[in-house]
Amino acid sequence: MIDLSSDTVTRPTEAMRRVMARAEVGDEQKGEDPTVNMLQDVVAELLGKEAALYLPTGTMCNNIAIKAHTQPADAILVDRQAHILRSESAGLAALSNVLVDQIDGDRGRFTAEQVARAITKGSLYAAPTRLLCVEQTHNFGGGTIWPLAQLRAVCEVARARGIATHMDGARLLNAVVATGMQARDYAACCDSVWIDFSKGLGAPGGAVLAGSAAFIQQARRYKHVFGGAQRQAGIIAAAGLYALSHHVERLCGDHENAKILADGLGSIPGVQVELPVETNMVFFDVRGAGLSHEAFLANLQSHRVRVGSVGDRLRAVTHLDVSQHDIQEALAVIKKVCRKQDS
Ligand SMILES: *Cc1c(COP(=O)(O)O)cnc(C)c1O
């Protein structure tokens, strides 16, 4: 199976498993797991923040950050396609009781003027805006990258109004390798930021949330509240440390493969590709080739190729477990499936 449905399908490599098996561990909940503590230190340093907190998932990073930055009945600002809004089962409503004001971004990225217009001061009638969320790279925007200057401008508007800023950096490191910028330069724009180890970095799980010492102290409390404190989590954290030293540079290859895939898809009559492809995701539409997306996905599956769907868009994601040869093979299958429909 050539699985392009997500970069979450990667499996730990043999070398990663060896490091995990040998990891020094302790009771993570008590702060006594040396490998977890090391990963937190490494990520705090990478992101240029005072402190960091290991959590089991990125979703928990978002939920804890929103909880820590807001009070019930506050308003938060997010792009209309944000993962926080579209893909986290309304956790922000259930756990933080906040109102979401949506910004209509351009493939996930909005402007300082849009933020300024969307901010509510708060009154007897209106919920005050307390938090602005950005996503780097932007998943449903198309794996798009926030340019540093635009990110700075947007977060500056919030900061000037006393509004906290949070970055969903699930794929921040994809942006870093694509642009050559430092992770800490992007991270400096926001009060809180996290990275995910279970996506393109290829670890079986884990995410680390970073921010000021005071913010992380509060986040640690909510980690217990939400049931995220673990025991010998060093086994997983070891995979994260391994990924940071072995799987970051190689993300470039994923981006190259995504471009090859996009070029190939674009040459198939009736197939529309969302351009430009900036990182490891390709969103496309095959209905112009006379195929419903359901039929296309089923047909692909019978040829042992899988892509994902997001609403009425198709999404192919490149990652550690797909080679350039796999991409060529997947393209050949997609061409065959689309051509069959044509004749
Ligand atoms: C995957 C993802 C998340 C959630 O991370 P999990 O580790 O799957 O909980 C949040 N935001 C974005 C942009 C993601 O792609």
Side-chain angles (χ1 to χ4, degrees), residues 57-59 62 83 88 135 137 139 168 170-171 194 196 198-199:
T57 65
T59 301
N62 280 334
H83 194 281
E88 296 180 11
E135 196 175 307
T137 63
N139 185 341
D168 172 341
R171 295 183 185 79
W194 61 272
D196 210 332
S198 73
K199 305 280 166 80

Side-chain angles (χ1 to χ4, degrees), residues 128-206:
T129 307
R130 298 287 189 214
L131 176 67
L132 170 71
C133 298
V134 294
E135 196 175 307
Q136 178 77 308
T137 63
H138 204 286
N139 185 341
F140 302 147
T144 49
I145 299 171
W146 274 91
L148 183 57
Q150 188 176 350
L151 189 61
R152 275 192 185 135
V154 153
C155 293
E156 196 38 58
V157 170
R159 190 159 298 161
R161 304 281 292 268
I163 293 163
T165 49
H166 171 69
M167 180 186 293
D168 172 341
R171 295 183 185 79
L172 172 61
L173 295 180
N174 288 82
V176 165
V177 303
T179 61
M181 306 294 306
Q182 301 278 314
R184 54 170 58 220
D185 291 335
Y186 290 121
C189 300
C190 293
D191 298 311
S192 55
V193 51
W194 61 272
I195 58 171
D196 210 332
F197 291 97
S198 73
K199 305 280 166 80
L201 292 181

